[in-house]
Amino acid sequence: MNPMNYLYLSAVLFTIGALGVLLRRNAIVVFMSVELMLNASNLAFVSFADIHGNLDGQVMAFFVMVVAAAEVVVGLAIIMIIFRTRRSASVDEANLLKY
Amino acid sequence: MTDFNWLLALFLAPLVGAVAVLLVPKGADKLAKQVGLVVSVVVFALTVAMSLQFVPAEAGDFQFSFAYDWIPAFGVQFAMGLDGIALVLVALSTSLVPVVLLAGWDDVGPESRGSVKGYVALILVLEAAMIGVFAATDVFLFYVFFEAMLIPVYFLIGRYGGARRSYAAVKFLLYSLFGGLLMLAALIGLYVVSGDLLGTGTFDFTQLVGLDIPESTQRWLFLGFFVAFAIKAPLVPFHTWLPDAAAESTPGTAVLLVGVLDKVGTFGMLRYCLELFPEASTWATPVVLVLAVVGIIYGALLAIGQSDLKRLIAYTSVSHFGFIALGIFAMTTRGQSGSTLYMVNHGFSTAALFLIAGFLISRRGSRVIDDFGGVQKVAPVLAGTFLVAGLSSLALPGLSSFVSEFLVLVGTFERYTWAGIIATIGIVLAALYILLMYQRTMTGEAPDEVREKVHDLRGREVLAIAPLLVVIIALGFYPKPVLDVVNPAVDRVMQSVGATDPAPQVGGPVAEGTQQ
Amino acid sequence: MSPFSGAVASVAEPSSAVSEASGVFGLTWLLIALPLLGAAVLLLGGRRTNPWGHWLGVLMAAGSFAVAVVLFAGMLGLGEEERSIRQFLFDWVFVGTFEAPVALRLDQLSMTFVLLITGVGTLIHIYSVGYMSHDPDRRRFFGYLNLFVASMLLLVLADNYLLLYVGWEGVGLASYLLIGFWYYKSSAAVAAKKAFVVNRVGDVGLSLAIMLMFVTFGSVTFEGVLDNAAAASDSSLTWIGLALLLGAAGKSAQFPLQSWLLDAMEGPTPVSALIHAATMVTAGVYLIVRSADIFNLSETARTAVIVIGGITLVMGAIIGSAKDDIKKALAGSTMSQIGYMILAAGLGTVGYVFAIFHLVMHGFFKADMFLGAGSVMHGMNDQVNMRRFGLLRTVMVTTWITFGIGWLAILGVPPFSGFFSKDKIIEAAFSVNAVAGWVTLLGAGITAFYMTRLFAMTFHGKKRWTDDVHPHESPWIMMGPVAVLALLSAVAGLALGPTGLFERWLEPVTGFTEPTPPVAPAVISIAALVLVLIGAGIAWVTYARNPVPEVAPAGNLLTRAARADLYGDAVNEAVFMRPGQYLTRWLVWFDNRVVDGAVNGTAATIGGLSGRLRRLQTGFTRSYALSMLGGAALVAAVLVLVRL
């Protein structure tokens, strides 16, 4: 199978993720979309590793996973706190940090 | 003791003192002030001891020099040394600090926003920075001190000042930073140019002097330095921060600010602008002369029109800085020696004026001139000292400022006749602003408020003011100690700029020489 | 660049040798040091010195006089050409070729002044002990007086123009302090400030003269300047002369800087006698005579001096004729008499000697009269309005007699001193210029009028004082010095004038040529005497024979103008003071609004802009995400485009 197809899939997933971040208000969904983008890039890395025949891309993918895991911990914690204080997980309502 | 590093010791002593003051336990305000005073007196004694070893005949060279590598990658050295001009200015700084601490003993108390020991420590840090800025022989080091001075002064004004202190402090800081930024740019440019010309870039002053920098580059670099100095000095039209800063700060801070800090501007013009960029200086001379002459008259007229005692004194300084800049850019030995002497004398006379005005203001609780009157009746000693300080400010012959002012005028006149004539008119205005102020505050009938609140000088205050007045009178009749060390240094500056004195029309002594 | 450049001639050899001080002349510095010490002790000593302070002041002045007498005797023992003595004290101002040491020059000219200053000064010190006896601040007064004597001596003894300048402003300072001695009176404080500021205008002239000298001669010492004068260009000499004249006009209250002298009468009367009559105000004459070598070579400068002297002579006389305040009338007279001296000094070598001669004689008789006026005020509860005097000769006999001698002296009645000095000036003036001659002659007539008016209104006519004043003669400590001065006014002229002693004494310094008036000197003397008789007669009839109204009548145009000091103050006010006040007020506004406004405006503009920019920070996470995406897309696009 043409490895380029994985790259196309990766691009599509990334776009879906980006659109999700931009269009959805629920923080959990936005978060999921971010994860989707990260994993899209992971897919791209692995594909490139396959195309070039070396392990650099795979190493990079592991890095991304680790960072994503750390991010999930911090991010979900923040979302939890926001939800507890505001009874809502809408990102548009959490707009105090302005001007 | 021959290899004792006097200059480094002098620079470090106030820093050590500042740390010592900070270590004083909380609440022991009196102890903090005493420690500060003792340290400043020790520093002054060190200065005296050092000055005695200074060789006047070689005052054109840097003495007590030392250099340590600091940032070798950029050729930056921690290098210091004193020529005659720097020596007298260092002496001015270290002699004013004890006076300021003593005179301002009660200016900062428990009711102030900042702590007393903080105040004393800041003044000592400032003293170290002032010594550093005059003593630095590495241009980068000079720049560092030039900017470092701002920090203690910012806090001195902003924490311990009057009602509009934060406005004044921020204005002072921003104005000075703006100038400093231009200077930094020029400094980097200078480094690059020196790299082109010498092979390796350097900030060493002695290597940079006499560098054949291309004319157009020189002009840009000159402007960078000059604007920074013109703001610091300050020359019209960069002067408006001074009245605010001086009026809002405590008298002691005002003394150090106007008496010493601003001298860095004129000192920089003489040392750095002229010697590093001789052609550009000659190119800029007409503009600077106009600014200086305008400053003399403009500052004096504004002083006449002020209704606030401290702002009035600040504006007289604007006028005096016009004289100093005039003498420097007249490019004659008379003018430049006169200007250097002027820096010293102005330091003392303005210090006396600010401090005595401070005594007066703190007693009456107002800075407005019209709130005073008839003070001579209730406080004759205060009035008398104020008059002597004022007379020194208006350059009465026999007092120190006269010698310097006359030298500046004659030095200007011999090359730029009209500038000399217009500047001479400044002496009439000087008489007006001082005597009008004296008349409005000290003579006539004393209002009840003055009668009740104003009392005469106390022992501590007399002790602080008396040395200033003694110096003012002594240097008026015997300026030789200062002239002896300043003249050779000025000769070096003149040589670097490549200027010579105009010859008289007829006769006169033929032999060229500065010493008897 | 400089308008003062010109042909350079060869440098002349020094004409007179100046020898270094030795022997008794090593004491010269003591002349200044003694009163200076007195001033220092009295002003720094504070209240502790109150009980004996005035006597210390007298002692120091007298000590200085004693030294002066010793030096005078020593000088008489020297040959005429050896009488210029220089005493070098210490280095003062030196930069490159500019050298002004603290050095003193004692020659016949300065000796004359030293004797006058210390002699009259001592007498006035003694007088003041009595006059100021009720003043709580008497010690301070004597401190200032001593300071004045020291400064004045420095002025006349300095060996270079810069040091002379120190004395010059030193006496100005002493004058300022003494005019404003009663500082709690606003009028005194204002008058003091005015005197100093107007003097400073004159000082600008002196400063410029010194600078010009340095530019021209490369020196500011008397030797360096005066001995080389012949080598300088005409324009330089003229400018130096005119600048010196401006300086002289300020200090000597000459037109157009005359206005301060009348106000200066706010000071205590001994001050008016010493400073504003006998010594300080004559410093201008000294300056011109000292700089004779410059004026000799510039006709323009000399003419200017004559014109200024002539104008002031007439102005002062007119003002003196209309004043009812006894001190102001005397001040007008002083202006006028100094006008005589200045005019004489402008005549050149025919006039220098007579200028100084009249100066000395004037010092005697004017001090005599001022102190007499002080004695009158002392007895009249400090009243000064002559319309409230009259017939005082009955109660103040000594004052009347001594004042009368002074009156005859200033009128120029032989054999009193004024006759010999003033007549010579008129003669010399006629020998140079007819107009100048007529002005001095006319001046003599007006002088006779106003002085007789003053004398008659005060001592003769009818008693006009109110019942609450009890005029009485002053104590001996005041009248003693007055008597000495009266004696000098009576005989000094006769002793020094016709004998030619004074001319021979001064000639080596100032040079001297015999005046050659177009008519015989006797004719001029007689004409002057006739004019004096007419002037005095009119005044006598009007103010002694006829009753003097106690309230001044409105008077004619001239009288009113004279009462207003010939509108000198009005002009100053309209031309300098008012516009100056508007200017400073406008400048303060300009500085606060425009200059500082520009600074604060810049700050405000930047602040406003950042306020706008801040609005971009909306707080909506998704819009941040969009801008991030846009940025990333932009970066990607740029990368792609560059790759292509």
mmCIF file of all heavy atoms in Angstrom, chain B residues 167 171 239-240 298 315 394 397 427 439 444 476-477 487 505-506 513 516, chain C residues 4 90-92 94 96 169 183 193 200 215-217 236 591 596 600:
data_model
loop_
_atom_site.group_PDB
_atom_site.id
_atom_site.type_symbol
_atom_site.label_atom_id
_atom_site.label_comp_id
_atom_site.label_asym_id
_atom_site.label_seq_id
_atom_site.Cartn_x
_atom_site.Cartn_y
_atom_site.Cartn_z
ATOM 1 N N TYR B 167 4.909 59.885 39.863
ATOM 2 C CA TYR B 167 4.962 60.547 38.560
ATOM 3 C C TYR B 167 6.393 60.986 38.267
ATOM 4 O O TYR B 167 6.944 60.705 37.200
ATOM 5 C CB TYR B 167 4.015 61.740 38.571
ATOM 6 C CG TYR B 167 4.165 62.681 37.394
ATOM 7 C CD1 TYR B 167 3.685 62.326 36.135
ATOM 8 C CD2 TYR B 167 4.790 63.915 37.544
ATOM 9 C CE1 TYR B 167 3.827 63.176 35.065
ATOM 10 C CE2 TYR B 167 4.940 64.774 36.479
ATOM 11 C CZ TYR B 167 4.455 64.400 35.242
ATOM 12 O OH TYR B 167 4.605 65.247 34.184
ATOM 13 N N LYS B 171 8.888 59.444 35.410
ATOM 14 C CA LYS B 171 9.326 60.363 34.364
ATOM 15 C C LYS B 171 10.855 60.378 34.284
ATOM 16 O O LYS B 171 11.438 60.277 33.203
ATOM 17 C CB LYS B 171 8.798 61.756 34.689
ATOM 18 C CG LYS B 171 8.884 62.744 33.562
ATOM 19 C CD LYS B 171 8.173 64.016 33.981
ATOM 20 C CE LYS B 171 8.167 65.034 32.894
ATOM 21 N NZ LYS B 171 7.476 66.262 33.314
ATOM 22 N N HIS B 239 14.826 69.125 29.565
ATOM 23 C CA HIS B 239 15.035 69.420 30.986
ATOM 24 C C HIS B 239 13.834 69.163 31.872
ATOM 25 O O HIS B 239 13.966 69.224 33.086
ATOM 26 C CB HIS B 239 15.402 70.893 31.119
ATOM 27 C CG HIS B 239 14.293 71.789 30.683
ATOM 28 N ND1 HIS B 239 14.036 72.060 29.366
ATOM 29 C CD2 HIS B 239 13.337 72.437 31.380
ATOM 30 C CE1 HIS B 239 12.984 72.855 29.282
ATOM 31 N NE2 HIS B 239 12.541 73.080 30.475
ATOM 32 N N THR B 240 12.656 68.899 31.301
ATOM 33 C CA THR B 240 11.454 69.005 32.144
ATOM 34 C C THR B 240 11.360 67.931 33.215
ATOM 35 O O THR B 240 10.580 68.071 34.140
ATOM 36 C CB THR B 240 10.175 68.963 31.297
ATOM 37 O OG1 THR B 240 10.236 67.807 30.470
ATOM 38 C CG2 THR B 240 10.045 70.198 30.453
ATOM 39 N N TYR B 298 16.787 80.854 29.202
ATOM 40 C CA TYR B 298 15.473 80.246 29.387
ATOM 41 C C TYR B 298 15.325 79.725 30.823
ATOM 42 O O TYR B 298 14.313 79.977 31.489
ATOM 43 C CB TYR B 298 15.345 79.119 28.365
ATOM 44 C CG TYR B 298 14.026 78.408 28.305
ATOM 45 C CD1 TYR B 298 12.938 78.993 27.676
ATOM 46 C CD2 TYR B 298 13.876 77.141 28.841
ATOM 47 C CE1 TYR B 298 11.733 78.336 27.596
ATOM 48 C CE2 TYR B 298 12.678 76.465 28.760
ATOM 49 C CZ TYR B 298 11.609 77.067 28.146
ATOM 50 O OH TYR B 298 10.419 76.409 28.062
ATOM 51 N N TYR B 315 15.304 75.019 38.372
ATOM 52 C CA TYR B 315 15.460 75.776 37.126
ATOM 53 C C TYR B 315 16.753 76.590 37.097
ATOM 54 O O TYR B 315 17.335 76.777 36.033
ATOM 55 C CB TYR B 315 14.247 76.689 36.895
ATOM 56 C CG TYR B 315 13.119 75.973 36.183
ATOM 57 C CD1 TYR B 315 11.938 75.658 36.822
ATOM 58 C CD2 TYR B 315 13.264 75.586 34.859
ATOM 59 C CE1 TYR B 315 10.916 74.990 36.168
ATOM 60 C CE2 TYR B 315 12.258 74.927 34.189
ATOM 61 C CZ TYR B 315 11.083 74.624 34.858
ATOM 62 O OH TYR B 315 10.090 73.957 34.196
ATOM 63 N N LEU B 394 24.424 82.922 42.267
ATOM 64 C CA LEU B 394 24.433 84.008 41.287
ATOM 65 C C LEU B 394 25.858 84.422 40.943
ATOM 66 O O LEU B 394 26.085 85.429 40.283
ATOM 67 C CB LEU B 394 23.578 85.203 41.746
ATOM 68 C CG LEU B 394 23.924 86.045 42.971
ATOM 69 C CD1 LEU B 394 25.061 87.000 42.690
ATOM 70 C CD2 LEU B 394 22.722 86.838 43.402
ATOM 71 N N PRO B 397 31.459 87.460 42.838
ATOM 72 C CA PRO B 397 32.912 87.360 42.916
ATOM 73 C C PRO B 397 33.356 87.201 44.366
ATOM 74 O O PRO B 397 32.809 87.849 45.254
ATOM 75 C CB PRO B 397 33.391 88.692 42.355
ATOM 76 C CG PRO B 397 32.298 89.155 41.485
ATOM 77 C CD PRO B 397 31.032 88.655 42.107
ATOM 78 N N ILE B 427 23.918 86.767 33.890
ATOM 79 C CA ILE B 427 24.286 87.102 35.273
ATOM 80 C C ILE B 427 23.322 88.113 35.880
ATOM 81 O O ILE B 427 23.135 88.132 37.089
ATOM 82 C CB ILE B 427 25.756 87.591 35.403
ATOM 83 C CG1 ILE B 427 25.953 88.956 34.793
ATOM 84 C CG2 ILE B 427 26.720 86.591 34.805
ATOM 85 C CD1 ILE B 427 27.337 89.527 35.084
ATOM 86 N N GLN B 439 14.063 88.017 48.704
ATOM 87 C CA GLN B 439 13.172 89.078 49.152
ATOM 88 C C GLN B 439 11.806 88.506 49.541
ATOM 89 O O GLN B 439 11.230 88.873 50.565
ATOM 90 C CB GLN B 439 13.027 90.105 48.016
ATOM 91 C CG GLN B 439 12.080 91.243 48.338
ATOM 92 C CD GLN B 439 11.613 91.919 47.069
ATOM 93 O OE1 GLN B 439 12.364 92.085 46.124
ATOM 94 N NE2 GLN B 439 10.350 92.296 47.023
ATOM 95 N N GLY B 444 10.654 91.471 54.781
ATOM 96 C CA GLY B 444 9.288 91.943 54.981
ATOM 97 C C GLY B 444 8.754 91.460 56.330
ATOM 98 O O GLY B 444 9.499 91.002 57.195
ATOM 99 N N GLY B 476 36.448 80.134 46.339
ATOM 100 C CA GLY B 476 36.286 81.428 45.680
ATOM 101 C C GLY B 476 37.585 82.210 45.680
ATOM 102 O O GLY B 476 37.918 82.898 44.724
ATOM 103 N N PHE B 477 38.327 82.088 46.757
ATOM 104 C CA PHE B 477 39.576 82.842 46.829
ATOM 105 C C PHE B 477 40.799 81.998 46.525
ATOM 106 O O PHE B 477 41.853 82.520 46.230
ATOM 107 C CB PHE B 477 39.724 83.499 48.204
ATOM 108 C CG PHE B 477 39.016 84.809 48.286
ATOM 109 C CD1 PHE B 477 37.782 84.915 48.892
ATOM 110 C CD2 PHE B 477 39.560 85.939 47.695
ATOM 111 C CE1 PHE B 477 37.112 86.122 48.931
ATOM 112 C CE2 PHE B 477 38.902 87.150 47.733
ATOM 113 C CZ PHE B 477 37.676 87.237 48.350
ATOM 114 N N ASN B 487 43.545 71.545 35.123
ATOM 115 C CA ASN B 487 44.168 72.120 33.931
ATOM 116 C C ASN B 487 44.895 71.091 33.053
ATOM 117 O O ASN B 487 44.664 71.076 31.837
ATOM 118 C CB ASN B 487 45.124 73.248 34.326
ATOM 119 C CG ASN B 487 44.367 74.515 34.666
ATOM 120 O OD1 ASN B 487 43.201 74.653 34.285
ATOM 121 N ND2 ASN B 487 44.990 75.417 35.375
ATOM 122 N N GLN B 505 44.972 89.526 20.453
ATOM 123 C CA GLN B 505 45.233 90.456 19.367
ATOM 124 C C GLN B 505 46.646 91.015 19.414
ATOM 125 O O GLN B 505 47.342 91.081 18.421
ATOM 126 C CB GLN B 505 44.221 91.587 19.475
ATOM 127 C CG GLN B 505 43.962 92.312 18.201
ATOM 128 C CD GLN B 505 43.002 93.452 18.463
ATOM 129 O OE1 GLN B 505 43.406 94.567 18.711
ATOM 130 N NE2 GLN B 505 41.719 93.169 18.424
ATOM 131 N N VAL B 506 47.060 91.419 20.607
ATOM 132 C CA VAL B 506 48.418 91.956 20.748
ATOM 133 C C VAL B 506 49.075 91.437 21.996
ATOM 134 O O VAL B 506 48.408 91.042 22.946
ATOM 135 C CB VAL B 506 48.424 93.497 20.864
ATOM 136 C CG1 VAL B 506 48.007 94.137 19.581
ATOM 137 C CG2 VAL B 506 47.557 93.942 22.016
ATOM 138 N N GLY B 513 51.770 77.755 29.177
ATOM 139 C CA GLY B 513 51.986 76.914 30.350
ATOM 140 C C GLY B 513 50.834 77.087 31.295
ATOM 141 O O GLY B 513 50.212 78.138 31.352
ATOM 142 N N GLN B 516 52.275 78.012 37.352
ATOM 143 C CA GLN B 516 53.066 79.208 37.643
ATOM 144 C C GLN B 516 54.545 78.910 37.541
ATOM 145 O O GLN B 516 55.010 77.916 38.075
ATOM 146 C CB GLN B 516 52.750 79.681 39.065
ATOM 147 C CG GLN B 516 51.723 80.770 39.080
ATOM 148 C CD GLN B 516 52.315 82.141 38.955
ATOM 149 O OE1 GLN B 516 53.172 82.517 39.709
ATOM 150 N NE2 GLN B 516 51.908 82.899 37.975
ATOM 151 N N PHE C 4 36.087 92.610 16.889
ATOM 152 C CA PHE C 4 37.070 93.429 17.570
ATOM 153 C C PHE C 4 38.487 93.236 17.042
ATOM 154 O O PHE C 4 39.442 93.626 17.671
ATOM 155 C CB PHE C 4 37.035 93.132 19.067
ATOM 156 C CG PHE C 4 35.665 93.259 19.639
ATOM 157 C CD1 PHE C 4 34.946 92.142 20.000
ATOM 158 C CD2 PHE C 4 35.074 94.503 19.759
ATOM 159 C CE1 PHE C 4 33.669 92.259 20.504
ATOM 160 C CE2 PHE C 4 33.793 94.622 20.262
ATOM 161 C CZ PHE C 4 33.100 93.500 20.617
ATOM 162 N N PHE C 90 48.905 85.587 46.403
ATOM 163 C CA PHE C 90 48.877 84.168 46.035
ATOM 164 C C PHE C 90 48.195 83.994 44.684
ATOM 165 O O PHE C 90 47.532 84.897 44.185
ATOM 166 C CB PHE C 90 48.183 83.306 47.106
ATOM 167 C CG PHE C 90 46.823 83.801 47.521
ATOM 168 C CD1 PHE C 90 45.687 83.448 46.827
ATOM 169 C CD2 PHE C 90 46.694 84.625 48.644
ATOM 170 C CE1 PHE C 90 44.434 83.890 47.229
ATOM 171 C CE2 PHE C 90 45.438 85.079 49.041
ATOM 172 C CZ PHE C 90 44.312 84.711 48.331
ATOM 173 N N ASP C 91 48.403 82.797 44.106
ATOM 174 C CA ASP C 91 47.769 82.483 42.829
ATOM 175 C C ASP C 91 46.270 82.413 43.004
ATOM 176 O O ASP C 91 45.775 81.902 43.993
ATOM 177 C CB ASP C 91 48.259 81.118 42.332
ATOM 178 C CG ASP C 91 49.605 81.218 41.682
ATOM 179 O OD1 ASP C 91 49.882 82.283 41.102
ATOM 180 O OD2 ASP C 91 50.377 80.258 41.762
ATOM 181 N N TRP C 92 45.556 82.877 41.997
ATOM 182 C CA TRP C 92 44.104 82.831 42.129
ATOM 183 C C TRP C 92 43.508 82.074 40.940
ATOM 184 O O TRP C 92 43.324 80.872 41.006
ATOM 185 C CB TRP C 92 43.574 84.252 42.268
ATOM 186 C CG TRP C 92 42.113 84.347 42.481
ATOM 187 C CD1 TRP C 92 41.332 83.521 43.238
ATOM 188 C CD2 TRP C 92 41.242 85.327 41.947
ATOM 189 N NE1 TRP C 92 40.042 83.938 43.208
ATOM 190 C CE2 TRP C 92 39.947 85.037 42.435
ATOM 191 C CE3 TRP C 92 41.420 86.443 41.120
ATOM 192 C CZ2 TRP C 92 38.841 85.827 42.093
ATOM 193 C CZ3 TRP C 92 40.334 87.213 40.795
ATOM 194 C CH2 TRP C 92 39.049 86.902 41.277
ATOM 195 N N PHE C 94 44.059 80.756 37.219
ATOM 196 C CA PHE C 94 45.055 80.597 36.169
ATOM 197 C C PHE C 94 44.674 79.400 35.309
ATOM 198 O O PHE C 94 44.463 78.309 35.804
ATOM 199 C CB PHE C 94 46.454 80.395 36.772
ATOM 200 C CG PHE C 94 46.512 79.277 37.755
ATOM 201 C CD1 PHE C 94 46.877 77.995 37.353
ATOM 202 C CD2 PHE C 94 46.156 79.483 39.078
ATOM 203 C CE1 PHE C 94 46.899 76.965 38.263
ATOM 204 C CE2 PHE C 94 46.177 78.444 39.994
ATOM 205 C CZ PHE C 94 46.551 77.185 39.574
ATOM 206 N N GLY C 96 45.887 78.125 31.420
ATOM 207 C CA GLY C 96 46.639 78.435 30.213
ATOM 208 C C GLY C 96 47.286 79.800 30.364
ATOM 209 O O GLY C 96 47.958 80.093 31.360
ATOM 210 N N GLU C 169 32.030 93.917 43.022
ATOM 211 C CA GLU C 169 30.763 93.302 43.427
ATOM 212 C C GLU C 169 30.690 93.159 44.938
ATOM 213 O O GLU C 169 29.605 93.097 45.497
ATOM 214 C CB GLU C 169 30.580 91.953 42.746
ATOM 215 C CG GLU C 169 30.202 92.107 41.284
ATOM 216 C CD GLU C 169 29.005 91.257 40.880
ATOM 217 O OE1 GLU C 169 28.725 90.261 41.556
ATOM 218 O OE2 GLU C 169 28.351 91.615 39.897
ATOM 219 N N TYR C 183 15.435 94.947 57.005
ATOM 220 C CA TYR C 183 14.830 94.044 56.028
ATOM 221 C C TYR C 183 13.343 93.849 56.261
ATOM 222 O O TYR C 183 12.618 93.441 55.384
ATOM 223 C CB TYR C 183 15.536 92.677 56.100
ATOM 224 C CG TYR C 183 15.539 92.111 57.494
ATOM 225 C CD1 TYR C 183 14.456 91.393 57.949
ATOM 226 C CD2 TYR C 183 16.603 92.326 58.359
ATOM 227 C CE1 TYR C 183 14.429 90.892 59.241
ATOM 228 C CE2 TYR C 183 16.591 91.840 59.644
ATOM 229 C CZ TYR C 183 15.495 91.125 60.085
ATOM 230 O OH TYR C 183 15.456 90.648 61.361
ATOM 231 N N LYS C 193 17.299 95.063 46.570
ATOM 232 C CA LYS C 193 17.346 94.172 45.417
ATOM 233 C C LYS C 193 17.530 94.980 44.138
ATOM 234 O O LYS C 193 18.315 94.627 43.267
ATOM 235 C CB LYS C 193 16.050 93.364 45.349
ATOM 236 C CG LYS C 193 16.001 92.431 44.164
ATOM 237 C CD LYS C 193 14.575 92.029 43.850
ATOM 238 C CE LYS C 193 13.786 93.221 43.396
ATOM 239 N NZ LYS C 193 12.351 93.007 43.347
ATOM 240 N N ARG C 200 24.192 95.008 38.685
ATOM 241 C CA ARG C 200 24.594 93.846 37.898
ATOM 242 C C ARG C 200 24.554 94.154 36.412
ATOM 243 O O ARG C 200 25.364 93.637 35.643
ATOM 244 C CB ARG C 200 23.663 92.673 38.198
ATOM 245 C CG ARG C 200 24.202 91.796 39.287
ATOM 246 C CD ARG C 200 24.792 90.560 38.664
ATOM 247 N NE ARG C 200 25.832 89.987 39.482
ATOM 248 C CZ ARG C 200 26.131 88.694 39.489
ATOM 249 N NH1 ARG C 200 25.454 87.865 38.760
ATOM 250 N NH2 ARG C 200 27.115 88.252 40.211
ATOM 251 N N VAL C 215 40.886 89.124 25.339
ATOM 252 C CA VAL C 215 40.941 88.773 23.916
ATOM 253 C C VAL C 215 41.939 89.675 23.201
ATOM 254 O O VAL C 215 42.665 89.245 22.304
ATOM 255 C CB VAL C 215 39.542 88.906 23.291
ATOM 256 C CG1 VAL C 215 39.617 88.762 21.795
ATOM 257 C CG2 VAL C 215 38.626 87.852 23.875
ATOM 258 N N THR C 216 41.968 90.936 23.613
ATOM 259 C CA THR C 216 42.824 91.885 22.908
ATOM 260 C C THR C 216 44.282 91.781 23.346
ATOM 261 O O THR C 216 45.183 91.744 22.523
ATOM 262 C CB THR C 216 42.326 93.323 23.174
ATOM 263 O OG1 THR C 216 40.918 93.345 22.985
ATOM 264 C CG2 THR C 216 42.977 94.295 22.220
ATOM 265 N N PHE C 217 44.483 91.731 24.658
ATOM 266 C CA PHE C 217 45.853 91.823 25.164
ATOM 267 C C PHE C 217 46.397 90.506 25.695
ATOM 268 O O PHE C 217 47.574 90.412 26.015
ATOM 269 C CB PHE C 217 45.934 92.862 26.286
ATOM 270 C CG PHE C 217 45.477 94.233 25.874
ATOM 271 C CD1 PHE C 217 44.251 94.714 26.265
ATOM 272 C CD2 PHE C 217 46.286 95.025 25.065
ATOM 273 C CE1 PHE C 217 43.829 95.973 25.873
ATOM 274 C CE2 PHE C 217 45.859 96.279 24.682
ATOM 275 C CZ PHE C 217 44.629 96.749 25.083
ATOM 276 N N SER C 236 38.853 97.950 19.145
ATOM 277 C CA SER C 236 38.949 97.227 20.416
ATOM 278 C C SER C 236 38.938 98.201 21.583
ATOM 279 O O SER C 236 38.210 98.020 22.560
ATOM 280 C CB SER C 236 40.249 96.426 20.475
ATOM 281 O OG SER C 236 40.232 95.424 19.512
ATOM 282 N N ASP C 591 6.668 76.347 29.110
ATOM 283 C CA ASP C 591 7.462 75.204 29.551
ATOM 284 C C ASP C 591 6.567 74.086 30.078
ATOM 285 O O ASP C 591 6.780 72.919 29.785
ATOM 286 C CB ASP C 591 8.444 75.647 30.646
ATOM 287 C CG ASP C 591 9.588 74.660 30.796
ATOM 288 O OD1 ASP C 591 10.271 74.425 29.790
ATOM 289 O OD2 ASP C 591 9.787 74.136 31.894
ATOM 290 N N ASP C 596 7.023 70.512 28.348
ATOM 291 C CA ASP C 596 6.671 69.352 29.148
ATOM 292 C C ASP C 596 5.464 68.659 28.534
ATOM 293 O O ASP C 596 5.328 67.437 28.610
ATOM 294 C CB ASP C 596 6.372 69.782 30.585
ATOM 295 C CG ASP C 596 6.588 68.645 31.563
ATOM 296 O OD1 ASP C 596 7.338 67.715 31.215
ATOM 297 O OD2 ASP C 596 5.992 68.684 32.647
ATOM 298 N N ASN C 600 4.994 64.722 28.021
ATOM 299 C CA ASN C 600 3.860 63.967 28.543
ATOM 300 C C ASN C 600 2.943 63.521 27.422
ATOM 301 O O ASN C 600 2.300 62.472 27.515
ATOM 302 C CB ASN C 600 3.087 64.819 29.550
ATOM 303 C CG ASN C 600 3.856 64.977 30.845
ATOM 304 O OD1 ASN C 600 4.718 64.150 31.143
ATOM 305 N ND2 ASN C 600 3.577 66.021 31.583
#
